[in-house]
């Protein structure tokens, strides 16, 4: 029996070690699953390339991207926007009692002012974008117009008067003037054909202004002291430099 004692002690120790190992394994906490880090938010650099045809142009080295448009910003019309030009005519009166006629073709404009006795005035300029801007000898005319009328002011020397002129129907001429050949010979004259069929004008004859005799629009002629005077419709043309 004494010889078996060490063996029993060894077996007993091994059994106790096995029991303690099993108890230790049961008491140990279950290992936590491995932690997975959340993916970082996507950045512009990580974004997939844009489809062909929509990728913004590359910037040259050293260049910076253009600033973004401010909220609420509106587009500014590009330089060189075509002017709104009109083909129209207006006839009316000034506050001083004189008669005025304005005619425009493709934005170029001419105006004739007369009192039917001895005062007359010619002006040239433009009628674009709803605005009138004409000038003559010591005179300027400015104003506005639309499809129904033209209004504004006429300044002669230091005196200013206002006018209102109604748009005429159709494209029939409303202003006639003596031909350049007659003007070169010292004979000048202007006629305004009113919408009611009446006329008014001034004719310069032998160096003095007189009331213009009635003009026949069909032929553009009138008779003065037995001589035929020829006139033509006033059709404005752009002046050089305008």
């Amino acid at each position: 029996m004494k010889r078996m004692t060490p063996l029993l002690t060894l077996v007993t120790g091994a059994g106790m070690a096995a029991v303690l190992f099993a108890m230790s394994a049961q008491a140990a906490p279950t290992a936590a699953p491995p932690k997975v880090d959340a993916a970082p938010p996507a950045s512009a650099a990580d974004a997939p390339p844009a489809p062909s045809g929509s990728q913004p142009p590359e910037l040259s080295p050293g260049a910076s991207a253009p600033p973004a448009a401010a909220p609420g910003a509106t587009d500014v019309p590009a330089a060189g926007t075509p002017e709104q030009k009109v083909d129209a005519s207006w006839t009316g009166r000034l506050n001083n009692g004189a008669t005025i006629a304005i005619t425009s073709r493709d934005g170029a404009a001419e105006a004739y002012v007369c009192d039917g006795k001895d005062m007359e005035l010619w002006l040239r300029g433009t009628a674009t974008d709803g605005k009138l801007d004409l000038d003559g000898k010591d005179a300027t005319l400015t104003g506005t117009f639309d499809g129904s009328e033209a209004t504004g002011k006429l300044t002669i020397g230091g005196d200013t008067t206002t006018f209102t002129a109604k748009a005429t129907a159709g494209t029939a001429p409303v202003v006639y003037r003596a031909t350049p050949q007659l003007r070169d010979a010292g004979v000048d004259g202007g006629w305004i054909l009113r919408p009611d069929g009446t006329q008014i004008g001034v004719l310069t004859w032998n160096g003095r202004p007189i009331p213009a005799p009635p003009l026949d629009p069909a032929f553009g002629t009138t008779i003065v002291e037995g001589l035929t005077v020829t006139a033509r419709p006033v059709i404005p043309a752009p002046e050089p430099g305008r």
Side-chain angles (χ1 to χ4, degrees):
M1 291 295 292
K2 289 181 179 181
R3 292 180 179 178
M4 296 180 61
T5 298
L7 181 59
L8 289 174
T9 300
L10 179 61
V11 171
T12 301
M16 291 182 66
V19 172
L20 290 175
F21 178 81
M23 292 177 65
S24 175
Q26 293 177 358
T30 305
K35 181 179 180 181
V36 179
D37 293 335
S43 64
D46 298 329
S52 176
S54 63
Q55 187 170 354
E58 295 181 357
L59 297 176
S60 59
S64 58
T74 57
D75 293 333
V76 178
T81 301
E83 294 177 317
Q84 295 180 356
K85 303 176 180 180
V86 296
D87 293 351
S89 296
W90 305 266
T91 58
R93 298 181 69 86
L94 289 90
N95 283 354
N96 62 9
T99 301
I100 184 172
I102 307 169
T103 185
S104 173
R105 292 294 181 272
D106 196 28
E110 289 200 33
Y112 179 55
V113 178
C114 73
D115 63 358
K117 299 176 182 178
D118 56 10
M119 189 280 289
E120 66 174 347
L121 177 66
W122 293 95
L123 303 100
R124 301 184 67 184
T126 58
T128 58
D129 296 329
K131 297 180 180 180
L132 297 168
D133 185 7
L134 298 85
D135 55 67
K137 185 178 180 180
D138 300 324
T140 59
L141 183 153
T142 58
T144 60
F145 66 87
D146 56 26
S148 60
E149 67 177 17
T151 60
K153 62 182 181 179
L154 172 66
T155 301
I156 305 174
D159 298 328
T160 299
T161 184
T162 59
F163 68 87
T164 300
K166 299 296 183 181
T168 60
T171 58
V174 298
V175 183
Y176 282 74
R177 188 174 187 178
T179 61
Q181 292 82 358
L182 286 176
R183 297 203 298 270
D184 291 340
V187 178
D188 199 357
W191 289 260
I192 296 175
L193 277 58
R194 298 188 182 108
D196 61 2
T198 61
Q199 300 180 17
I200 187 171
V202 171
L203 180 70
T204 300
W205 183 263
N206 292 329
R208 62 186 180 90
I210 61 174
L215 182 75
D216 182 354
F219 298 96
T221 58
T222 189
I223 304 298
V224 180
E225 297 182 5
L227 298 178
T228 300
V229 174
T230 305
R232 293 287 180 263
V234 172
I235 301 176
E239 293 184 47
R242 284 187 180 268

